[in-house]
Amino acid sequence: EQDERICWIERLMALATETKQQLISEHRRKDGDTGSPEVQIAVLTRRIADLTEHVREHKHDYASRRGLLMMVGKRSRLLRYLARTNRETYQALIKRLGLRK
């Protein structure tokens, strides 16, 4: 039970290092890129998916729900920025991540 709780807390707090590194390497523009909109959107999408599972299971966890809504808003703003500045990259990214737009 203790291991389950630690795993749950780690999932909520942040992505595992190897998962995050894999996402970064898949979506970066060049070596050393960790802050491009594509990388940020990919990391946020993964965190949103993990937190969505948690909120479905714990319906009264309003603090996590608020965090989820804030992440969705941030991802939405980043997607709008990317669509405005580089339409082709935007189209490719939403297709690769399976987002509806």
mmCIF file of all heavy atoms in Angstrom, residues 19-37:
data_model
loop_
_atom_site.group_PDB
_atom_site.id
_atom_site.type_symbol
_atom_site.label_atom_id
_atom_site.label_comp_id
_atom_site.label_asym_id
_atom_site.label_seq_id
_atom_site.Cartn_x
_atom_site.Cartn_y
_atom_site.Cartn_z
ATOM 1 N N THR A 19 10.386 9.406 -18.572
ATOM 2 C CA THR A 19 9.226 9.706 -19.415
ATOM 3 C C THR A 19 9.349 11.101 -20.007
ATOM 4 O O THR A 19 9.115 11.307 -21.195
ATOM 5 C CB THR A 19 7.925 9.601 -18.593
ATOM 6 O OG1 THR A 19 7.869 8.329 -17.974
ATOM 7 C CG2 THR A 19 6.715 9.813 -19.468
ATOM 8 N N LYS A 20 9.740 12.040 -19.162
ATOM 9 C CA LYS A 20 9.879 13.422 -19.619
ATOM 10 C C LYS A 20 11.003 13.547 -20.644
ATOM 11 O O LYS A 20 10.848 14.223 -21.665
ATOM 12 C CB LYS A 20 10.138 14.337 -18.421
ATOM 13 C CG LYS A 20 10.036 15.805 -18.752
ATOM 14 C CD LYS A 20 10.073 16.640 -17.494
ATOM 15 C CE LYS A 20 9.867 18.085 -17.794
ATOM 16 N NZ LYS A 20 9.851 18.913 -16.594
ATOM 17 N N GLN A 21 12.117 12.878 -20.405
ATOM 18 C CA GLN A 21 13.226 12.923 -21.355
ATOM 19 C C GLN A 21 12.824 12.329 -22.702
ATOM 20 O O GLN A 21 13.208 12.836 -23.753
ATOM 21 C CB GLN A 21 14.445 12.170 -20.796
ATOM 22 C CG GLN A 21 15.129 12.866 -19.648
ATOM 23 C CD GLN A 21 15.606 14.253 -20.014
ATOM 24 O OE1 GLN A 21 16.067 14.502 -21.119
ATOM 25 N NE2 GLN A 21 15.459 15.186 -19.081
ATOM 26 N N GLN A 22 12.031 11.269 -22.665
ATOM 27 C CA GLN A 22 11.568 10.653 -23.907
ATOM 28 C C GLN A 22 10.666 11.618 -24.674
ATOM 29 O O GLN A 22 10.803 11.773 -25.889
ATOM 30 C CB GLN A 22 10.819 9.357 -23.606
ATOM 31 C CG GLN A 22 10.312 8.668 -24.844
ATOM 32 C CD GLN A 22 9.453 7.457 -24.517
ATOM 33 O OE1 GLN A 22 9.183 7.172 -23.357
ATOM 34 N NE2 GLN A 22 9.020 6.764 -25.547
ATOM 35 N N LEU A 23 9.746 12.282 -23.966
ATOM 36 C CA LEU A 23 8.862 13.257 -24.618
ATOM 37 C C LEU A 23 9.675 14.395 -25.232
ATOM 38 O O LEU A 23 9.405 14.829 -26.353
ATOM 39 C CB LEU A 23 7.852 13.821 -23.616
ATOM 40 C CG LEU A 23 6.695 12.913 -23.239
ATOM 41 C CD1 LEU A 23 5.940 13.490 -22.043
ATOM 42 C CD2 LEU A 23 5.768 12.712 -24.414
ATOM 43 N N ILE A 24 10.647 14.870 -24.491
ATOM 44 C CA ILE A 24 11.482 15.969 -24.985
ATOM 45 C C ILE A 24 12.233 15.541 -26.235
ATOM 46 O O ILE A 24 12.261 16.262 -27.235
ATOM 47 C CB ILE A 24 12.450 16.454 -23.880
ATOM 48 C CG1 ILE A 24 11.663 17.179 -22.786
ATOM 49 C CG2 ILE A 24 13.523 17.360 -24.461
ATOM 50 C CD1 ILE A 24 12.476 17.496 -21.544
ATOM 51 N N SER A 25 12.826 14.356 -26.216
ATOM 52 C CA SER A 25 13.605 13.920 -27.377
ATOM 53 C C SER A 25 12.713 13.689 -28.598
ATOM 54 O O SER A 25 13.156 13.886 -29.730
ATOM 55 C CB SER A 25 14.396 12.659 -27.048
ATOM 56 O OG SER A 25 13.529 11.585 -26.792
ATOM 57 N N GLU A 26 11.461 13.299 -28.393
ATOM 58 C CA GLU A 26 10.554 13.087 -29.517
ATOM 59 C C GLU A 26 10.078 14.388 -30.153
ATOM 60 O O GLU A 26 9.804 14.429 -31.351
ATOM 61 C CB GLU A 26 9.319 12.297 -29.058
ATOM 62 C CG GLU A 26 9.584 10.854 -28.750
ATOM 63 C CD GLU A 26 8.369 10.157 -28.166
ATOM 64 O OE1 GLU A 26 7.261 10.736 -28.189
ATOM 65 O OE2 GLU A 26 8.531 9.027 -27.678
ATOM 66 N N HIS A 27 9.956 15.451 -29.367
ATOM 67 C CA HIS A 27 9.309 16.671 -29.853
ATOM 68 C C HIS A 27 10.226 17.883 -29.964
ATOM 69 O O HIS A 27 9.771 18.953 -30.371
ATOM 70 C CB HIS A 27 8.129 17.023 -28.938
ATOM 71 C CG HIS A 27 7.055 15.984 -28.959
ATOM 72 N ND1 HIS A 27 6.133 15.900 -29.963
ATOM 73 C CD2 HIS A 27 6.776 14.959 -28.120
ATOM 74 C CE1 HIS A 27 5.326 14.890 -29.735
ATOM 75 N NE2 HIS A 27 5.702 14.294 -28.616
ATOM 76 N N ARG A 28 11.494 17.734 -29.652
ATOM 77 C CA ARG A 28 12.381 18.900 -29.693
ATOM 78 C C ARG A 28 12.703 19.304 -31.127
ATOM 79 O O ARG A 28 12.643 18.499 -32.055
ATOM 80 C CB ARG A 28 13.657 18.613 -28.924
ATOM 81 C CG ARG A 28 14.518 17.548 -29.541
ATOM 82 C CD ARG A 28 15.703 17.249 -28.679
ATOM 83 N NE ARG A 28 16.453 16.140 -29.247
ATOM 84 C CZ ARG A 28 17.297 15.410 -28.578
ATOM 85 N NH1 ARG A 28 17.506 15.670 -27.312
ATOM 86 N NH2 ARG A 28 17.938 14.426 -29.169
ATOM 87 N N ARG A 29 13.086 20.567 -31.274
ATOM 88 C CA ARG A 29 13.463 21.089 -32.593
ATOM 89 C C ARG A 29 14.915 20.769 -32.918
ATOM 90 O O ARG A 29 15.265 20.547 -34.066
ATOM 91 C CB ARG A 29 13.269 22.603 -32.626
ATOM 92 C CG ARG A 29 11.822 23.029 -32.544
ATOM 93 C CD ARG A 29 11.713 24.531 -32.598
ATOM 94 N NE ARG A 29 10.311 24.940 -32.545
ATOM 95 C CZ ARG A 29 9.924 26.195 -32.475
ATOM 96 N NH1 ARG A 29 10.818 27.166 -32.449
ATOM 97 N NH2 ARG A 29 8.650 26.487 -32.428
ATOM 98 N N LYS A 30 15.781 20.810 -31.893
ATOM 99 C CA LYS A 30 17.205 20.533 -32.077
ATOM 100 C C LYS A 30 17.750 20.022 -30.748
ATOM 101 O O LYS A 30 17.040 20.029 -29.740
ATOM 102 C CB LYS A 30 17.958 21.792 -32.516
ATOM 103 C CG LYS A 30 17.843 22.937 -31.544
ATOM 104 C CD LYS A 30 18.542 24.176 -32.030
ATOM 105 C CE LYS A 30 18.221 25.300 -31.075
ATOM 106 N NZ LYS A 30 19.258 26.092 -30.612
ATOM 107 N N ASP A 31 18.990 19.580 -30.724
ATOM 108 C CA ASP A 31 19.596 19.098 -29.477
ATOM 109 C C ASP A 31 19.600 20.196 -28.430
ATOM 110 O O ASP A 31 19.899 21.354 -28.732
ATOM 111 C CB ASP A 31 21.035 18.626 -29.726
ATOM 112 C CG ASP A 31 21.071 17.306 -30.460
ATOM 113 O OD1 ASP A 31 20.028 16.630 -30.495
ATOM 114 O OD2 ASP A 31 22.140 16.953 -30.987
ATOM 115 N N GLY A 32 19.266 19.833 -27.204
ATOM 116 C CA GLY A 32 19.280 20.806 -26.113
ATOM 117 C C GLY A 32 18.002 21.594 -25.983
ATOM 118 O O GLY A 32 17.870 22.414 -25.080
ATOM 119 N N ASP A 33 17.032 21.361 -26.847
ATOM 120 C CA ASP A 33 15.772 22.104 -26.815
ATOM 121 C C ASP A 33 14.844 21.484 -25.785
ATOM 122 O O ASP A 33 14.466 20.333 -25.896
ATOM 123 C CB ASP A 33 15.120 22.061 -28.200
ATOM 124 C CG ASP A 33 13.733 22.689 -28.217
ATOM 125 O OD1 ASP A 33 13.448 23.500 -27.322
ATOM 126 O OD2 ASP A 33 12.961 22.361 -29.123
ATOM 127 N N THR A 34 14.498 22.276 -24.760
ATOM 128 C CA THR A 34 13.529 21.794 -23.776
ATOM 129 C C THR A 34 12.371 22.761 -23.601
ATOM 130 O O THR A 34 11.416 22.449 -22.911
ATOM 131 C CB THR A 34 14.187 21.598 -22.401
ATOM 132 O OG1 THR A 34 14.763 22.843 -21.983
ATOM 133 C CG2 THR A 34 15.259 20.534 -22.442
ATOM 134 N N GLY A 35 12.440 23.929 -24.216
ATOM 135 C CA GLY A 35 11.441 24.954 -23.949
ATOM 136 C C GLY A 35 10.595 25.355 -25.133
ATOM 137 O O GLY A 35 9.767 26.251 -25.014
ATOM 138 N N SER A 36 10.768 24.716 -26.281
ATOM 139 C CA SER A 36 9.960 25.093 -27.431
ATOM 140 C C SER A 36 8.493 24.763 -27.162
ATOM 141 O O SER A 36 8.181 23.883 -26.351
ATOM 142 C CB SER A 36 10.453 24.363 -28.683
ATOM 143 O OG SER A 36 10.204 22.988 -28.567
ATOM 144 N N PRO A 37 7.585 25.455 -27.827
ATOM 145 C CA PRO A 37 6.160 25.191 -27.605
ATOM 146 C C PRO A 37 5.796 23.726 -27.842
ATOM 147 O O PRO A 37 4.968 23.178 -27.111
ATOM 148 C CB PRO A 37 5.470 26.090 -28.623
ATOM 149 C CG PRO A 37 6.425 27.175 -28.914
ATOM 150 C CD PRO A 37 7.782 26.577 -28.745
#
